[in-house]
């Protein structure tokens, strides 16, 4: 059953979605569905596997990331990515989000220690011990390993 009291972006809401959603109304609704911790608005709703807050857009049958929607409603450039200044994926406070390039976003992650590199990547097939062993080998053996 549809509930008219739910926020407009909620999948069971009876109101039209994104077409009438404004930046101000989204911010007001985000405050209702999050709690404040250290000035971050921690999202209490669903998250994607990546840890980012999202909602399901029923009309378009797709998931929309909240930080992307904030940037879109704010009028930010669609070609840029959204950077979380607080480095908290669950934070939906628009004041903690700015537009930037992918390079700036990766630099933020590297500076904050959250960039997954080397063994922390999850897709890594080599650990630090194996890499050290490979680097200690003579160049002839290293060339053989590449083939």
């Amino acid at each position: 059953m549809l509930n008219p009291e739910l926020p407009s972006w909620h999948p069971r809401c009876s109101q039209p979605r994104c077409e009438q959603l404004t930046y101000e109304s989204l911010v007001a609704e985000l405050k209702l569905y999050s709690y404040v911790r250290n000035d971050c608005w921690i999202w209490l709703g669903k998250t994607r596997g990546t840890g980012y807050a999202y909602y399901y857009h029923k009309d378009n049958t797709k998931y929309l990331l909240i930080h992307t929607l904030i940037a879109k409603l704010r009028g930010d450039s669609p070609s840029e990515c959204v950077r979380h200044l607080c480095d908290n994926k669950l934070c939906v406070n628009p004041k903690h989000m700015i537009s930037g390039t992918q390079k700036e976003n990766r630099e933020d992650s590297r500076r904050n220690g959250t960039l997954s590199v080397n063994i922390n990547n999850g897709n890594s097939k080599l650990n630090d011990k194996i890499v050290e062993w490979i680097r200690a080998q003579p160049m002839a053996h290293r060339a053989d390993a590449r083939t």
Side-chain angles (χ1 to χ4, degrees), residues 11-104:
R12 292 188 315 228
C13 178
S14 61
Q15 303 171 22
R17 284 152 189 79
C18 283
E19 295 77 19
Q20 295 180 355
L21 190 62
T22 65
Y23 175 76
E24 291 77 18
S25 65
L26 177 64
V27 169
E29 291 173 354
L30 289 175
K31 287 181 183 178
L32 295 174
Y33 292 90
S34 57
Y35 70 93
V36 179
R37 184 178 69 199
N38 299 331
D39 200 35
C40 286
W41 301 354
I42 307 301
W43 179 245
L44 297 174
K46 294 186 177 185
T47 59
R48 299 288 295 180
T50 57
Y52 289 101
Y54 79 95
Y55 76 96
Y56 182 74
H57 191 285
K58 186 177 178 184
D59 297 340
N60 292 339
T61 62
K62 66 179 180 179
Y63 296 98
L64 296 175
L65 296 169
I66 290 178
H67 64 276
T68 304
L69 181 61
I70 289 171
K72 180 180 178 181
L73 291 175
R74 217 174 19 197
D76 295 350
S77 172
S79 63
E80 294 188 335
C81 68
V82 180
R83 298 165 50 202
H84 283 82
L85 296 176
C86 59
D87 199 40
N88 184 346
K89 293 179 180 183
L90 289 177
C91 179
V92 293
N93 184 345
K95 292 180 182 175
H96 292 189
M97 299 178 202
I98 60 171
S99 289
T101 64
Q102 187 66 33
K103 182 179 179 181
E104 291 170 329

